[in-house]
Amino acid sequence: MAHPKRKISKTRRDKRRTHQGLSEKAIAICPNTDTPHLYHHAYVVDGDLYHKGKLAIKNYTTNAQ
């Protein structure tokens, strides 16, 4: 196994990690239902499943509880 030859200080470690922050997720508004949703994801509105603004499955029910 590889081992570092010298201890990396907390400052040096933290400087390296400054660019690893999370960014906010982009949220889209459906032009047909005016519902906010994540890009490239299907979403449920009033029991119907939509994807790309089009009705994908009517009377959709999820299995998650």
Side-chain angles (χ1 to χ4, degrees):
M1 290 177 46
H3 293 285
K5 200 167 211 176
R6 298 251 183 257
K7 180 179 178 179
I8 296 176
S9 69
K10 295 171 191 157
T11 304
R12 186 174 288 259
R13 176 199 65 201
D14 293 343
K15 282 181 185 178
R16 184 179 68 246
R17 293 179 181 173
T18 58
H19 304 289
Q20 294 181 357
L22 296 175
S23 60
E24 294 182 13
K25 297 201 175 208
I27 296 179
I29 303 292
C30 177
N32 297 332
T33 61
D34 294 325
T35 306
H37 64 91
L38 295 175
Y39 281 106
H40 307 289
H41 287 263
Y43 51 97
V44 177
V45 177
D46 297 329
D48 298 333
L49 184 72
Y50 287 85
H51 183 63
K52 294 185 180 177
K54 297 177 185 172
L55 181 63
I57 300 174
K58 193 168 182 84
N59 296 329
Y60 176 79
T61 58
T62 60
N63 295 332
Q65 294 181 3

